[in-house]
Amino acid sequence: MQLPKKLDDQELMELCRQGNGAGFSELYLRYNKAVFNTILRLVSDFAQAQDLLQEAFMALYQEIMKGRDIEHFAHFSRRVAANKAISFLRAHKRLFVFEDYRDQVAEEEAEDEDLYEMKVEGVKKAIEALPEGFRTIVNLYVMEGVPQQEIAALLGISHATVRTQYHRAKKKILTLLQKETV
């Protein structure tokens, strides 16, 4: 069924609740790429990310049909995707390894800003080369905009550990980028 006009997300969710599948189809078309990319950044397995994409949209459909008030569907859908990916990683014993932040002396915050103006592809490669725990935190915080407190709750670690791991991940990315330019 063709939709008569460009509807906003709230109108599409209401169509869905009324039993009109075109509403949900349109939401899927609008957001499947962003949701898939969120999952793929965390899981790193294309086929598994496709499966989790379907699971995420099934969960989104259920939330819509329950009548949940979803103010920003784009943001909510990426959060559901991140949760599905993390649940998958936990269920398959791909545990996150985090260094103990208490053993470290306070690290310097000043970085050379010019070094962060590297090419996007180089940054993507550097992030992909990070250990899984670091990569997960960077993807959730930088790419998905999940607050550090929420990341800590999702991963079952302290906020201080998230901050420390994020800082170390930035340093590792910087080191990898410096090696690439040498």
Side-chain angles (χ1 to χ4, degrees):
M1 176 180 183
Q2 187 72 6
L3 295 173
K5 60 178 179 162
K6 178 84 172 159
L7 302 174
D8 67 23
D9 294 347
Q10 296 299 322
E11 292 169 318
L12 292 172
M13 286 186 281
E14 188 54 39
L15 278 175
C16 185
R17 286 184 197 105
Q18 294 170 3
N20 185 336
F24 192 73
S25 294
E26 180 62 25
L27 286 169
Y28 181 85
L29 290 173
R30 283 184 189 177
Y31 297 109
N32 76 76
K33 288 179 184 166
V35 170
F36 179 76
N37 288 333
T38 296
I39 294 167
L40 187 61
R41 278 192 290 271
L42 296 170
V43 174
S44 299
D45 178 296
F46 192 84
Q48 188 58 53
Q50 288 177 318
D51 290 344
L52 291 170
L53 172 68
Q54 299 311 312
E55 288 180 29
F57 271 96
M58 287 189 311
L60 288 165
Y61 179 79
Q62 291 170 346
E63 292 298 320
I64 291 169
M65 295 309 284
K66 287 179 191 173
R68 179 173 179 157
D69 182 27
I70 302 170
E71 193 172 331
H72 301 288
F73 189 83
H75 179 70
F76 183 72
S77 64
R78 288 193 310 271
R79 289 289 171 95
V80 168
N83 286 335
K84 287 287 180 191
I86 290 169
S87 294
F88 168 80
L89 293 172
R90 279 193 182 130
H92 289 84
K93 307 278 190 255
R94 291 179 61 190
L95 301 176
F96 303 104
V97 178
F98 298 101
E99 296 172 22
D100 189 358
Y101 71 94
R102 291 169 283 197
D103 293 340
Q104 297 297 321
V105 179
E107 299 181 41
E108 294 180 26
E109 284 292 326
E111 275 100 11
D112 187 357
E113 293 298 321
D114 293 336
L115 292 175
Y116 281 104
E117 295 179 13
M118 302 289 181
K119 293 182 180 178
V120 172
E121 284 305 312
V123 173
K124 285 181 184 177
K125 286 179 188 174
I127 290 171
E128 199 58 37
L130 291 172
E132 191 167 33
F134 285 171
R135 187 175 63 243
T136 300
I137 288 173
V138 168
N139 281 322
L140 287 172
Y141 186 63
V142 175
M143 306 299 230
E144 302 306 322
V146 178
Q148 290 182 356
Q149 289 280 27
E150 211 170 306
I151 294 170
L154 281 170
L155 299 177
I157 58 178
S158 73
H159 181 230
T161 300
V162 172
R163 279 194 322 263
T164 302
Q165 296 302 306
Y166 176 67
H167 181 72
R168 290 184 185 157
K170 286 192 319 187
K171 284 190 168 205
K172 285 185 183 268
I173 291 168
L174 183 60
T175 301
L176 290 168
L177 292 173
Q178 286 173 327
K179 286 180 184 176
E180 196 174 283
T181 61
V182 173

